[in-house]
Amino acid sequence: MSFCTNLDCLYPHNPDPARFCTSCGKPLLLKDRYRPLQPIGRGGFGRTFLAVDEHLPSKPRCVIKQLCFPEADGESFRKAVALFRQEAVRLDELRHRQIPHLLAHFEQENRLYLVEELITGQTLAQELQQNGVFSATQIWHVLKDLLTVLQFVHSRQVIHRDIKPANIMRRLPGGDLVLIDFGIAKQITATAFLHTGTTIGSPEYMAPEQTRGKALPASDLYSLGVTCIYLLTGISPFDLFDLTSDRWAWRDYLPSGMILDAKLAETLDKLLHNALSQRYKSAAEVLQAMNLEAQLVKKKLINSLNSEVGVDYQKLRDLLAARKWQQADEVTWVLMCQALSKPIGSYFFSGDIERFPCEDLQIIDELWMKYSRGRFGFTVQTKIYESYNNDYGQFCAAIGWNLPNSTSPAQRLSFSLSAPIGHLPSHLWAGGTQLWRHINALAAKLATC
């Protein structure tokens, strides 16, 4: 039986139970089970559309990629099919929560199809357009999340080839970054049909060696570096590269007042080096250079929520994941009281912070940073405080704590992700009149934990 595979027919034109295409009269089911709903993207080497799996009782939605090839002789197409099967097997082996699961692959009417898990959320390109440029803390989290998944991908001898903000999705709920759209269709086409001049990837994010047709793990790292400087500046990578001096001039385009850690800047520069000999060779090398081992331990700690003193942090995690910022702020105070074995609603002094259990402080801090995409958390607050030379008044003004004076605990808080960076969690738990002592104690405690 023949099926409708014309992208222009893939809309649900009529609710007929038989689901025949009103344009060509052919059934709309692919491989007897997948019903296309609507196109969601197309390019020179593939088409993507949203579909539903009619075979399963829950009728889950999925993504189907139809790989398109130019007219060629039968032998070339047979070679493309063989390569497609090989690449599908490799994709199937990439079982990682930050990579869409491959659900099926098949051939139908001289077309090739990949069926993948549907990831709901926003791409980093959409986030940039909606919320503006990323902070240094947010870039830290982007690097941390993506370097771990790239380490996994490269260990399976797979190279993504097209890392850019539009191919990085933040999964909702949860906030994990997911690497989408591996450049397989173009790779198969270039190889099977002997298009030796074909480059795979997006030119503005592509490493020099990749433009010459040779992609390496270091090429993905270069693209990740370009992605980061674009997110930091909002300026096209084409404009961030100074051709006259043959260097990246991204520092010249940082927003006024942005504070960038020297180690982060150094890491980005090495990711972006044109010469392979001076660039990072592997994701593991970058992780080591950024001293992320401790951060990865913290991440495991968050996943287990393993309190040092038996406090249950699941409610805080759930509230933050649901973006219920005000309730999360209230629960944070309650949990801090529990961690210190003090009555609920007790005020804390610098001595209380000094004896706060390290694992519990890290869990609270990292949960806030994770679910706010790096905008909120104790670490964010202490870095901002230090950037103002420990001036508490300037610190409060920077994070939007509109204090009548620097010794008052009264705050007019905004419980929204659009609040200033560092605005939450509040310090309503701070006791006494010398409130700067609490932020000093927090900074010292986080440094030693």
Side-chain angles (χ1 to χ4, degrees), residues 35-47:
R35 178 167 63 89
L37 297 178
Q38 65 183 58
I40 55 177
R42 69 160 67 197
F45 295 87
R47 301 171 178 181

Side-chain angles (χ1 to χ4, degrees), residues 193-249:
F193 297 101
L194 303 178
H195 293 172
T196 54
T198 302
T199 55
I200 303 167
S202 302
E204 64 268 42
Y205 295 92
M206 201 181 298
E209 70 278 0
Q210 194 172 339
T211 64
R212 298 189 289 270
K214 186 175 182 60
L216 304 166
S219 309
D220 278 348
L221 300 178
Y222 183 96
S223 299
L224 177 58
V226 180
T227 293
C228 288
I229 62 172
Y230 173 61
L231 295 174
L232 277 171
T233 63
I235 305 295
S236 165
F238 284 133
D239 296 324
L240 292 175
F241 192 83
D242 186 347
L243 289 173
T244 59
S245 58
D246 193 33
R247 67 178 184 90
W248 287 99

Side-chain angles (χ1 to χ4, degrees), residues 172-383:
L172 294 177
D176 290 332
L177 295 183
V178 180
L179 204 50
I180 64 174
D181 205 12
F182 285 68
I184 290 176
K186 201 169 185 180
Q187 179 188 358
I188 293 173
T189 303
T191 305
F193 297 101
L194 303 178
H195 293 172
T196 54
T198 302
T199 55
I200 303 167
S202 302
E204 64 268 42
Y205 295 92
M206 201 181 298
E209 70 278 0
Q210 194 172 339
T211 64
R212 298 189 289 270
K214 186 175 182 60
L216 304 166
S219 309
D220 278 348
L221 300 178
Y222 183 96
S223 299
L224 177 58
V226 180
T227 293
C228 288
I229 62 172
Y230 173 61
L231 295 174
L232 277 171
T233 63
I235 305 295
S236 165
F238 284 133
D239 296 324
L240 292 175
F241 192 83
D242 186 347
L243 289 173
T244 59
S245 58
D246 193 33
R247 67 178 184 90
W248 287 99
W250 59 274
R251 282 180 176 78
D252 299 340
Y253 295 91
L254 291 174
S256 176
M258 176 174 281
I259 303 158
L260 206 61
D261 180 81
K263 187 63 179 177
L264 176 59
E266 178 186 331
T267 302
L268 292 176
D269 282 337
K270 192 165 181 178
L271 284 169
L272 294 166
H273 214 290
N274 284 343
L276 273 169
S277 60
Q278 299 182 56
R279 195 189 314 157
Y280 290 113
K281 305 298 188 301
S282 68
E285 185 183 352
V286 190
L287 288 168
Q288 184 177 8
M290 293 183 67
N291 195 26
L292 286 182
E293 290 86 351
Q295 297 295 327
L296 295 175
V297 170
K298 287 182 183 179
K299 190 170 185 179
K300 292 177 182 177
L301 186 65
I302 290 174
N303 291 337
S304 64
L305 300 181
N306 187 20
S307 167
E308 189 175 325
V309 290
V311 177
D312 186 353
Y313 291 100
Q314 291 187 16
K315 184 176 181 180
L316 176 60
R317 179 189 61 192
D318 295 343
L319 288 171
L320 289 170
R323 299 187 177 185
K324 295 181 179 180
W325 308 114
Q326 184 168 3
Q327 291 172 259
D329 189 60
E330 295 167 355
V331 167
T332 296
W333 189 353
V334 171
L335 295 173
M336 290 176 72
C337 289
Q338 293 176 357
L340 287 167
S341 299
K342 299 188 71 167
I344 303 302
S346 297
Y347 290 100
F348 308 146
F349 298 88
S350 56
D352 293 312
I353 301 302
E354 290 168 6
R355 66 183 183 87
F356 205 98
C358 270
E359 290 187 2
D360 292 69
L361 187 62
Q362 290 171 346
I363 289 173
I364 294 171
D365 184 33
E366 288 287 317
L367 283 174
W368 272 98
M369 287 198 293
K370 175 179 179 180
Y371 291 107
S372 69
R373 306 174 190 173
R375 295 184 66 84
F376 304 144
F378 295 140
T379 295
V380 178
Q381 291 170 346
T382 56
K383 286 186 178 296

Side-chain angles (χ1 to χ4, degrees), residues 91-119:
L91 271 184
D92 190 47
E93 293 174 349
L94 296 181
R95 294 288 174 171
H96 193 284
R97 62 184 179 78
Q98 291 174 265
I99 301 171
H101 291 166
L102 180 66
L103 303 176
H105 68 280
F106 57 88
E107 304 145 34
Q108 184 171 302
E109 295 191 345
N110 294 324
R111 288 180 172 88
L112 308 177
Y113 296 88
L114 294 171
V115 184
E116 294 182 347
E117 169 194 10
L118 174 65
I119 305 296

Side-chain angles (χ1 to χ4, degrees), residues 53-88:
D53 189 342
E54 297 279 7
H55 185 71
L56 298 177
S58 62
K59 303 262 190 299
R61 294 193 171 192
C62 56
V63 171
I64 297 184
K65 295 184 179 180
Q66 180 190 68
L67 278 60
C68 305
F69 301 99
E71 294 296 328
D73 58 52
E75 180 58 33
S76 294
F77 186 75
R78 281 191 291 274
K79 185 176 180 181
V81 171
L83 286 169
F84 169 76
R85 292 172 180 168
Q86 292 174 16
E87 291 301 319

